Amino acid sequence: MIVVWFILLLFGLSGISFVISYSGSYIHSDYFQNPRFQNVINEFATNLSRFEFDEMTLQAAKNAIVVTDEDINNYKNSQVSLTSQISNLNAEFDNLILEATAHDNEAVASLYIKERDKRIDQLTKQIMDEEYIEEQVRQEKEKEINQRFEEREQYRRHYWEYKESLQYFFTDTVTGKQYTNMNVTEDEAATDPGMNGKWFYKKDYLLSGEHVKMNSLSSSTHSTVAYNPVKGWIGVADPLSSSNMFLHEYQLYKRQQIKLIVYGLASIGALALCFYIRKKKAIPAAPELWRAYYSKVPIDLRVILFIITAILAWNYIDYVKEKLFSETVSILVYFWNIAKYLLSGAVIWGLAFIQAELLFKELRHKDNRLEAWRKALLSWGGIGTKKFLLKAMSTLKNTFLQRSVGVQLMLIFTAVFILGATTAKLLSDADFFPIYLFILLLIGVPVFILFIKGVSYFNLIFIATNELAVGDLERELSVPGKSFLAVLAQNINGLKQGVKTSLNEQAKSERLKTELITNVSHDLRTPLTSIITYTDLLKMEGTTEEDKLAYLEIIDRKSKRLKVLIDDLFEVSKMASGNVDLELETVDLVQLLQQTLAEHEVAMNNSSLQFRISYAEAPVYALVDGKKLWRVFDNLIENVLKYALDNSRVYIVVRTDRNQAFIEFKNVSKFELSENIDELFERFKRGDTARQTEGSGLGLAISKSIVDLHNGSLKLETDGDLFKVSIVLKRYDEK
């Protein structure tokens, strides 16, 4: 049953692989529709252009050659200058003539002179004589034409192969001349013979003369021969004759299509049957008898055997697929090959499956993995070596983490090695002392001085790190030069400065935390105390109705005050966590500010403040959440009404600069401002340090969070008692 199951599995996987690999090639209705045949027929059309429509012969092409002035000038430019070549010839023959004259051989010297003059004349003629140049150019063009015609002849064999199996009929669109390989009479040719009869495939073509010309003539010739466009078709007649070269391909294509469908369906059925058998647990578990023997094999050897077996099993999918797709003369041989590979492949798959089950079941538990690794071949002799190599590699790598340190170390090591070698040489050869002294002064003394300076500086760094460890942050190390010790000292100085900054920030954070708790407690306790006090007064007997109403009004006002504080606290917490959704829309900032000012018109008129408001001439649009931004304007206007100095002026300006919008609020503060203006962004921080006003201390914090959510900026500036808030947002052009 196991063997049968693996045969079905292998057959199913091979069939699926077979369908995936070849479905793209056999998806067309027949052989004549696939891209392979399309390439054949297009190549045949090109060969028709070469050998049928192009009637120019080799000699005619040569006769059509024209040598132009441009060709002559190009040839001249391609040659080395006449003066240079004559100089080279004179230099070449001068030595020969002098040598012959020195040996009193005047006859030989005369021959050399004649040969030199002859070659100079040839050079002069070659470069200056235009008739000679024209002949050379013509020969080059003829050579090129010969080459092109030889290249064209390479396609003739393919042309004749396909000409017997394809039919064509073309007509010259100008002269009416017809080209065909069909046996038709003149009357039949007068009407396109392709209109009659049956065709497996038929394709129309229009081949232009320029296309024919470029496929037949050298592009460097200037031919006056014109080629007319030809129009017609190429096809495959139905039925195919037994001599047609496409008959076998056509029949094979049909057989492979049928094979593709049959094996595709059969593979799906085989995999379904595998799944059914597996689900029914009809396959017995891997024989436990094997485990006793298999566990004795070292784990690394088992892994290697499993990998090899798994690779072979996977390759059997391709083996079976290839046999499924192969063509054989005998049906028996075909099925025997498939059965042979299926059976051997099932055995390989079974071995891989059993190994996988035994191997992974054993390695599933950590204790088993450790025990198996201790018995591994690599573990026996390789653990110690591996540890040593890893440690050595790690040490070497760490040595060159800072390249300059590693290089300096290697230089010192090299210097010590040279000094040691020269010392050994001195002990065996006293005459070597002068050289040894020179090497000692050149290498030994500088290395010793550098070593002493390095150790001294290292000791200072060591002391500084000890001071840093106990919290002494005052001493600063000097940083001489750019050595690795200087970089280390600079880093330690930076670390000290970072610790100082961190401690200052921590102290500030603790102070702000304490102030926050104090402020929250104060601001929440004040209205709550009033609520409790007036509630107790309501409970007292003898309280008149008029007093009760007054007490209720106070309780109501304090309750609302408490609610505002709590709502603001929740709002700023949401802002800080980023858990806020913006409903962005195009908003006119000028109009939004005007609406906000209108809400506070009564309070503004009742105050002693003089408001000076300046708007941009055109609407200033921005993509913002109108409700949230209204809250920002509302908070800032309330701050002005609460904290601005009485009888002073308040300036509100809206302006633009390129793609940014600026909204500015300026007023003189009635309270003395802190030097650290950024603390006003802290929660429950107020300009009124006595906390006698109705503010929550959360307005600026909420406003800054809202502007930050819009990718804008909100900045505070002070100059003495002058208080300025600047909001910057990105403009949005409706166009």
Side-chain angles (χ1 to χ4, degrees):
M1 181 59 71
I2 292 177
V3 174
V4 170
W5 190 82
F6 279 111
I7 288 175
L8 291 173
L9 177 64
L10 179 58
F11 179 80
L13 294 175
S14 301
I16 296 297
S17 177
F18 176 80
V19 171
I20 293 173
S21 299
Y22 298 108
S23 59
S25 301
Y26 294 94
I27 196 172
H28 307 282
S29 58
D30 58 45
Y31 169 74
F32 300 108
Q33 303 300 324
N34 79 58
R36 181 179 174 184
F37 177 75
Q38 297 294 322
N39 293 334
V40 169
I41 200 168
N42 289 333
E43 180 184 354
F44 181 72
T46 303
N47 287 330
L48 274 175
S49 301
R50 292 189 176 108
F51 303 115
E52 294 293 338
F53 311 144
D54 182 1
E55 298 179 353
M56 177 171 280
T57 63
L58 175 62
Q59 189 58 44
K62 291 181 178 179
N63 293 337
I65 292 175
V66 176
V67 179
T68 64
D69 292 339
E70 182 181 359
D71 293 332
I72 293 174
N73 291 331
N74 290 337
Y75 183 86
K76 288 181 178 180
N77 294 332
S78 66
Q79 304 300 314
V80 182
S81 67
L82 177 62
T83 304
S84 176
Q85 293 191 59
I86 291 175
S87 298
N88 292 337
L89 275 175
N90 285 327
E92 179 182 345
F93 280 94
D94 283 348
N95 292 331
L96 297 174
I97 294 170
L98 288 173
E99 185 178 354
T101 303
H103 291 85
D104 296 328
N105 198 339
E106 295 296 334
V108 174
S110 178
L111 288 175
Y112 283 142
I113 292 172
K114 289 181 179 179
E115 179 65 20
R116 180 193 64 188
D117 295 341
K118 178 182 177 181
R119 290 179 62 176
I120 289 175
D121 290 340
Q122 288 178 345
L123 277 175
T124 305
K125 182 180 180 181
Q126 180 178 346
I127 295 179
M128 303 303 296
D129 190 346
E130 291 195 357
E131 292 183 2
Y132 175 83
I133 294 173
E134 182 178 352
E135 182 61 27
Q136 294 298 316
V137 173
R138 184 177 297 277
Q139 290 179 6
E140 288 182 5
K141 292 192 175 186
E142 288 182 355
K143 182 179 179 182
E144 185 179 355
I145 289 175
N146 287 333
Q147 183 179 355
R148 295 298 294 271
F149 269 80
E150 288 176 3
E151 292 175 356
R152 190 177 73 163
E153 287 303 312
Q154 296 176 4
Y155 297 99
R156 190 176 292 279
R157 181 176 60 84
H158 296 288
Y159 169 65
W160 284 107
E161 285 179 358
Y162 293 122
K163 187 174 181 180
E164 300 299 324
S165 301
L166 294 170
Q167 285 74 46
Y168 64 87
F169 183 86
F170 284 89
T171 303
D172 190 312
T173 58
V174 177
T175 65
K177 183 177 179 179
Q178 295 175 339
Y179 304 87
T180 183
N181 63 346
M182 300 175 64
N183 294 323
V184 294
T185 64
E186 292 184 4
D187 294 337
E188 291 173 336
T191 60
D192 188 349
M195 302 297 293
N196 304 319
K198 298 175 62 179
W199 301 90
F200 275 112
Y201 181 83
K202 186 166 169 285
K203 184 176 181 180
D204 295 328
Y205 283 91
L206 176 62
L207 303 176
S208 65
E210 184 65 23
H211 174 76
V212 176
K213 178 180 177 182
M214 292 306 295
N215 277 281
S216 60
L217 288 180
S218 168
S219 59
S220 67
T221 62
H222 296 270
S223 175
T224 59
V225 180
Y227 295 97
N228 300 319
V230 292
K231 183 178 182 182
W233 51 265
I234 301 174
V236 181
D238 182 11
L240 294 171
S241 64
S242 59
S243 62
N244 194 302
M245 64 181 299
F246 297 114
L247 178 62
H248 174 71
E249 295 290 337
Y250 176 77
Q251 294 173 343
L252 176 62
Y253 193 88
K254 286 293 184 185
R255 289 199 301 272
Q256 299 293 47
Q257 279 186 319
I258 296 172
K259 191 183 296 184
L260 191 70
I261 296 172
V262 171
Y263 283 124
L265 296 175
S267 63
I268 294 173
L271 291 176
L273 186 57
C274 282
F275 178 76
Y276 175 78
I277 294 173
R278 185 72 175 174
K279 189 175 181 181
K280 293 295 184 181
K281 299 182 179 179
I283 303 176
E288 288 296 324
L289 180 63
W290 289 34
R291 185 178 298 279
Y293 302 100
Y294 186 72
S295 298
K296 294 180 180 179
V297 180
I299 186 65
D300 41 4
L301 186 58
R302 277 185 276 169
V303 171
I304 294 173
L305 290 175
F306 169 70
I307 292 174
I308 294 173
T309 310
I311 293 174
L312 284 174
W314 187 258
N315 287 336
Y316 260 92
I317 295 177
D318 287 333
Y319 297 156
V320 175
K321 178 182 70 177
E322 291 174 2
K323 294 302 175 184
L324 288 172
F325 197 66
S326 64
E327 285 286 319
T328 57
V329 178
S330 171
I331 296 296
L332 291 177
V333 172
Y334 175 74
F335 282 106
W336 165 247
N337 287 334
I338 294 176
K340 179 173 63 177
Y341 275 95
L342 281 175
L343 184 60
S344 58
V347 173
I348 297 296
W349 270 84
L351 290 174
F353 181 81
I354 291 172
Q355 287 186 78
E357 186 171 341
L358 294 175
L359 182 63
F360 293 118
K361 184 179 289 186
E362 180 177 348
L363 298 181
R364 191 175 301 164
H365 302 290
K366 182 178 180 181
D367 294 339
N368 292 343
R369 290 198 299 270
L370 295 175
E371 181 64 25
W373 175 247
R374 280 194 289 268
K375 297 179 180 179
L377 291 176
L378 291 176
S379 179
W380 292 348
I383 291 179
T385 304
K386 182 179 179 182
K387 287 183 178 179
F388 173 77
L389 291 176
L390 288 175
K391 188 174 181 179
M393 289 177 63
S394 176
T395 302
L396 185 62
K397 182 179 179 181
N398 293 336
T399 302
F400 287 91
L401 281 176
Q402 290 293 330
R403 186 173 299 177
S404 61
V405 178
V407 171
Q408 291 178 39
L409 179 64
M410 295 303 296
L411 290 176
I412 292 175
F413 177 79
T414 303
V416 172
F417 177 79
I418 292 173
L419 290 173
T422 53
T423 302
K425 177 68 175 175
L426 179 64
L427 294 176
S428 61
D429 186 2
D431 295 334
F432 188 70
F433 180 77
I435 299 176
Y436 173 77
L437 184 61
F438 174 76
I439 293 176
L440 183 64
L441 294 174
L442 181 66
I443 299 177
V445 174
V447 168
F448 178 76
I449 294 173
L450 289 175
F451 182 76
I452 293 299
K453 289 177 64 177
V455 171
S456 174
Y457 195 37
F458 178 79
N459 288 333
L460 292 176
I461 294 174
F462 180 76
I463 294 172
T465 55
N466 287 337
E467 293 174 349
L468 179 61
V470 297
D472 185 358
L473 307 177
E474 297 305 320
R475 177 188 290 194
E476 287 287 331
L477 286 168
S478 61
V479 185
K482 296 183 179 180
S483 66
F484 72 94
L485 289 176
V487 174
L488 180 60
Q490 186 175 6
N491 291 339
I492 291 175
N493 290 338
L495 183 61
K496 286 185 176 181
Q497 189 61 39
V499 172
K500 287 181 181 179
T501 304
S502 176
L503 291 175
N504 292 334
E505 290 294 329
Q506 185 178 359
K508 179 183 176 182
S509 177
E510 291 294 331
R511 178 176 60 82
L512 291 176
K513 187 188 299 182
T514 303
E515 290 182 2
L516 175 63
I517 295 172
T518 303
N519 293 337
V520 170
S521 301
H522 177 274
D523 288 350
L524 293 179
R525 190 190 310 116
T526 300
L528 186 59
T529 301
S530 298
I531 292 171
I532 294 172
T533 300
Y534 285 100
T535 301
D536 291 338
L537 290 174
L538 282 174
K539 293 178 181 179
M540 293 177 61
E541 295 182 0
T543 304
T544 63
E545 290 297 326
E546 184 179 353
D547 291 338
K548 288 182 179 181
L549 290 175
Y551 297 160
L552 286 173
E553 183 182 352
I554 295 172
I555 291 173
D556 179 63
R557 188 169 68 254
K558 297 299 182 180
S559 300
K560 291 178 180 178
R561 167 67 180 154
L562 188 60
K563 182 179 183 302
V564 168
L565 288 172
I566 295 173
D567 288 344
D568 284 354
L569 184 59
F570 277 115
E571 184 74 16
V572 79
S573 298
K574 286 173 61 179
M575 295 288 180
S577 64
N579 188 23
V580 178
D581 295 327
L582 297 178
E583 298 179 3
L584 298 178
E585 57 184 345
T586 305
V587 174
D588 181 2
L589 299 179
V590 173
Q591 185 178 3
L592 182 62
L593 181 60
Q594 289 174 343
Q595 293 174 359
T596 312
L597 290 170
E599 294 285 338
H600 295 276
E601 186 175 3
V602 175
M604 291 166 59
N605 292 334
N606 293 334
S607 69
S608 62
L609 301 175
Q610 300 177 26
F611 285 84
R612 299 291 185 265
I613 303 172
S614 175
Y615 300 126
E617 295 181 359
V620 180
Y621 293 105
L623 193 62
V624 296
D625 186 328
K627 295 180 180 178
K628 294 285 192 303
L629 197 59
W630 180 90
R631 177 74 179 276
V632 174
F633 293 163
D634 183 69
N635 286 341
L636 295 177
I637 294 171
E638 286 186 354
N639 277 356
V640 168
L641 293 171
K642 291 174 186 175
Y643 300 119
L645 182 66
D646 294 338
N647 299 309
S648 63
R649 294 186 184 88
V650 177
Y651 294 90
I652 302 176
V653 179
V654 180
R655 60 183 179 87
T656 60
D657 184 8
R658 296 180 182 177
N659 63 337
Q660 290 183 323
F662 297 85
I663 305 98
E664 298 174 350
F665 295 78
K666 292 187 288 186
N667 65 273
V668 178
S669 174
K670 70 170 65 174
F671 301 104
E672 184 177 354
L673 297 174
S674 171
E675 292 182 1
N676 191 354
I677 192 66
D678 290 336
E679 288 188 1
L680 289 176
F681 284 131
E682 298 293 334
R683 301 171 191 178
F684 289 95
K685 272 286 182 179
R686 287 155 64 178
D688 175 16
T689 55
R691 314 190 72 81
Q692 296 176 354
T693 59
E694 289 294 321
S696 66
L698 296 172
L700 286 178
I702 293 173
S703 299
K704 179 170 174 53
S705 298
I706 292 174
V707 174
D708 289 344
L709 288 172
H710 286 84
N711 295 321
S713 66
L714 189 151
K715 297 181 180 178
L716 303 181
E717 298 178 30
T718 60
D719 186 0
D721 290 334
L722 178 64
F723 181 77
K724 178 181 177 182
V725 180
S726 299
I727 299 174
V728 182
L729 295 171
K730 185 177 180 181
R731 293 180 63 190
Y732 179 76
D733 190 356
E734 283 192 321
K735 298 179 181 180

